[in-house]
Amino acid sequence: MTNESHALPGPGALAGVSAARRRLRALPGVAASAPLRQALVPWLLPIALVVAWQAAASLGLLRSNVLPGPASVLAAGWRLTLSGELADHIAASTARAVAGLVVGGGLGFALGLLNGLSRSGERLLDSSIQMVRTIPHLALVPLVILWFGIDEEAKLFLVALGVLFPVYVNTFHGIRTVDAQLLEMARSYGMGGLELFRRVVLPGALPSILVGLRYALGIMWLTLIVAETIAARSGIGYLAMNAREFMLVDVVILAILVYALLGKLADVVVRTLERRFLAWHPGFRDA
Amino acid sequence: MTAITIARDPMAVGEPTAPRRGVGIALLGVRRSFGPREVLRGIDLAVEAGQFVAVVGPSGCGKSTLLRLLNGIDAPDGGRIAFERPTAARIMFQEARLLPWARVADNVAVGLGPRRKEPGAPARVLEALAAVGLSGREADWPAALSGGQRQRVALARALVSEPGFLALDEPFGALDALTRIGMQSLLERVWREQGFTAVLVTHDVSEALALADRVLLIEEGRIALDLPVDLPRPRRRGSVALAALEERILRILLRQDRDQPDYMI
Ligand SMILES: Nc1ncnc2c1ncn2[C@@H]1O[C@H](COP(=O)(O)OP(=O)(O)OP(=O)(O)O)[C@@H](O)[C@H]1O
Ligand SMILES: [Mg+2]
């Protein structure tokens, strides 16, 4: 037993842990609220952080011109909500994000389909796309400002360019890795053309396409933050930059938090899509 | 596609109760090469309607190739394959090849082809599932089934269109011994009920002898042995008659390795 104690925990050790857990659950009052407790666990750390942040601000440990407490950030948020400014900026940012995603994601999806389904399409286009892909799209910011100034096209262009590649790469890969045995089976049952695409190719590629969408949403917000802080007259990024000029630190922090919330919202959307469309997949089954 | 509805008469007795829907098949000098490799070098074969033929032979001898030619997934380089009349031809593989994103019933409906939208389709799907003993599982995802259950769904999918010909390429090769025996009796039962012509490729000589009317041995691209198995069904595993036939086939299969001395068997 002594030399085993330095090795990986054996089954005996694990059994000990689970026995301890069972004892914990057996405590009165703990077992009853188990599902609720499960749902609360992910929130413990964020809540603790906010409480600590507020405490540090109230105790004067944080200077309010460096990092105001959550209460002042909330107050700033309330002020901007009442004046309608916050809603306007969020709407402007969201509209840009969605437009860029639709244009760039749509183009990436179409190119991925084309090159995934046709070898000649791949030969013609893939190496060029891969070449353009190696340019970080944010490196184009100066050029885009020269071309479009701070008009809407500038933001749209950058976001669309940013989301195009993850959607393209994952759509292409998803289609190319559809199980060849399934394709042979479907063809032997007389499926072909559009039906084969709709019932075998697309569902087979969907897990990969959704991974692409998830990446694309991350890049979408990132691009928008950069574009709006540099060249915009509305949007969350503009709100933050404008507030910086007037030293409104609470509004700057509010803008950052709004970005975080929007990013989280996008993530929830993808998760919902996954749960809806990949219900057949053991990896996405509801827990 | 010809659709022949089968009247099942529970009062009828004796061998195949249903009118034969199986189709006769004739092969004449069928050849197939891959590059310089001549895999099939002239196969002549006549399969009677409703016959159960098993094909054995060493790995790589062209058994799967022959099945793909019979099913029209692949085309011969020479010779002719003729079916007595047009019929749906189906094939089952070692893997069930179910669509993971379609529920069991939808997977079976794939077997109906374009006719899956007809009003009678759902009833036929349920009937096919019942025939393979999977009633009640129609709303499950394939991922929720065991390997043997998945193969049964694949069998239901193959049979739902009431084909005249079913090819099976080592369909039970990936199953454990007990499940395999269960699947063999299931296959024998549906074959006897439905009367399609069956060609089964297998590595398992005793499986071939348990199920087939006739065992073909393919060697070096030709039919090296065509052995009728005239034993009553259902056959008793381990019976003396089966053992004698099995030894005869194994003897030929092992002989082809000329370096091995005769006393290997
Ligand atoms: N598409 C193909 N392209 C090239 N060669 C092929 C192809 N299909 C089969 N072959 C070759 O034809 C030969 C016969 O293959 P086949 O799959 O028919 O063998 P098999 O008898 O089914 O073997 P096993 O028992 O291992 O399944 C093999 O040598 C194989 O390499
Ligand atoms: Mg094979």
Side-chain angles (χ1 to χ4, degrees), chain B residues 2 4 20-24 49 82-88 163-164 195 197:
Chain B
T2 46
I4 303 152
R20 287 271 175 187
R21 76 156 184 250
V23 61
F83 282 74
E84 191 179 45
R85 58 184 159 76
T87 179
T197 306

Side-chain angles (χ1 to χ4, degrees), chain A residues 115 118-128 168 172 176:
Chain A
N115 293 356
S118 128
R119 296 270 165 194
S120 37
E122 180 192 359
R123 263 196 299 280
L124 180 67
L125 294 172
D126 187 60
S127 69
S128 311
Y168 167 75
F172 179 72
R176 278 300 162 86

Side-chain angles (χ1 to χ4, degrees), chain B residues 1 6 10 17 19 23 30 41 58 61 85-87 124 139 150 158 161 173 182 199 208 210 240 246 263:
Chain B
M1 246 189 275
I6 302 208
T17 53
V23 61
V30 168
R41 311 176 176 181
C61 71
R85 58 184 159 76
T87 179
R124 292 178 70 180
R150 270 177 232 166
S161 56
V199 177
V240 180
E246 181 167 351
Y263 53 77

Side-chain angles (χ1 to χ4, degrees), chain B residues 114-136:
Chain B
R115 300 173 53 196
R116 94 177 164 271
K117 296 192 183 91
E118 288 176 7
R124 292 178 70 180
V125 166
L126 292 185
E127 196 186 336
L129 277 171
V132 298
L134 281 180
S135 292

